[in-house]
Amino acid sequence: MSITQTALMQQRRDTAANWTSANPTLLAGEIGIESDTNKIKIGTGSTAWTSLSYTTWSQITAYPFVNADIAAAAAIAYSKLATLTSGNILVGSSANVATSTAISGDITISNTGVTAIASGVIVNADINASAAISGSKIVAATTGVVGAVQLTDSFSSTSVTTAATPNAVKTAFDAATAAAVIGADALPKAGGTLTGNVILDNQVDARFREATANGTNYVGFQAPATIAADVLWTLPSVDGTSAQVLSTNGSGTLSWATAAGATVVDGGNFANGSSIVTTTITIDGGSFV
């Protein structure tokens, strides 16, 4: 015949405050549980409660402490973990063990979580081809600075930081060759004023055509092939009188003057058909028959 006896064992329990107030001395191996904190202490037989340390699981059982032993809502404080060096992070080691590791290389991290990239370490290869970095992140280009430049479609802009589009250049070209006046700096085909010297190089002509309805003939002026020195003629400021001619003073200044001419007086002996004509010619005050 067999007899089965069921035995129940109950440990001493009380609140942390009552344990501290009573401060009993537990028997050697006796377990005391704080009912409101679920912490335990194991007596030594000689040490009072307040002088005992709380007991760890390893002191109670040899059963390994695993993840399943921790309640999902345990919310264990980080202060219960081993110390971690300032600025270090936990990285799995070759033995698959979380290891405190200092960050090295181009990036640093502070103990407040602020990351930073070291100066001068980013190179072209680090930037993705499709990064599409905004122009506002790049220094603006000027005549003295290499950088990003904004395009403008205006052909009359005076900006020194923008560049003309091909369309703006084409518009400026078309406007410069158009028949309408487009600005003080452009010389249109129909009128316009030149404010500087006009140089016709390599003996080219200055030509003045006849009326279009009459053809394409012209009159013109041309420089000689060889000129010993520069020559400039200054025209007179007013018109001359009938039969006057342009006369130079030898220094390039032209003026109107009456030509020194010859007068013919009848009475000479020039042959005229069947008769004899006598004519006296007076030149500059002298005469001959």
Side-chain angles (χ1 to χ4, degrees):
M1 179 179 74
S2 63
I3 299 175
T4 301
Q5 182 178 4
T6 301
L8 299 176
M9 183 174 66
Q10 185 176 15
Q11 306 300 326
R12 295 177 63 178
R13 298 168 58 84
D14 209 335
T15 64
N18 287 341
W19 278 112
T20 300
S21 176
N23 197 25
T25 299
L26 297 179
L27 299 174
E30 184 181 10
I31 298 174
I33 302 173
E34 290 181 349
S35 58
D36 53 348
T37 67
N38 288 327
K39 294 180 180 181
I40 63 175
K41 292 184 178 183
I42 298 177
T44 64
S46 61
T47 305
W49 175 268
T50 56
S51 298
L52 288 174
S53 298
Y54 290 106
T55 301
T56 63
W57 281 103
S58 60
Q59 293 175 296
I60 300 174
T61 176
Y63 185 79
F65 191 66
V66 297
N67 184 68
D69 296 325
I70 303 174
I76 298 173
Y78 294 116
S79 60
K80 300 300 190 297
L81 301 177
T83 58
L84 186 64
T85 303
S86 175
N88 280 19
I89 61 173
L90 291 177
V91 178
S93 68
S94 57
N96 299 325
V97 177
T99 306
S100 173
T101 306
I103 291 182
S104 61
D106 298 339
I107 298 177
T108 60
I109 185 171
S110 71
N111 58 7
T112 59
V114 178
T115 59
I117 301 176
S119 176
V121 298
I122 296 178
V123 296
N124 184 67
D126 296 326
I127 303 175
N128 190 286
S130 59
I133 297 174
S134 172
S136 62
K137 303 297 190 301
I138 306 174
V139 65
T142 66
T143 54
V145 176
V146 177
V149 63
Q150 182 177 354
L151 298 177
T152 177
D153 214 25
S154 171
F155 70 90
S156 59
S157 172
T158 59
S159 171
V160 296
T161 59
T162 57
T165 63
N167 180 65
V169 175
K170 178 64 167 58
T171 301
F173 172 80
D174 291 343
T177 56
V181 176
I182 63 159
D185 295 330
L187 183 66
K189 290 181 179 180
T193 301
L194 295 174
T195 58
N197 297 326
V198 178
I199 299 175
L200 302 179
D201 197 18
N202 199 29
Q203 208 179 4
V204 296
D205 307 336
R207 300 180 181 183
F208 304 90
R209 280 187 174 176
E210 61 186 335
T212 303
N214 296 330
T216 59
N217 293 324
Y218 61 86
V219 296
F221 296 97
Q222 184 184 90
T226 302
I227 303 174
D230 293 341
V231 179
L232 181 66
W233 290 293
T234 303
L235 295 172
S237 60
V238 296
D239 193 12
T241 60
S242 178
Q244 283 190 314
V245 296
L246 282 175
S247 175
T248 179
N249 66 352
S251 298
T253 301
L254 303 180
S255 61
W256 297 107
T258 301
T263 57
V264 178
V265 180
D266 288 342
N269 295 315
F270 290 98
N272 182 10
S274 58
S275 63
I276 299 298
V277 179
T278 301
T279 303
T280 301
I281 301 175
T282 304
I283 300 177
D284 292 339
S287 64
F288 62 91
V289 175

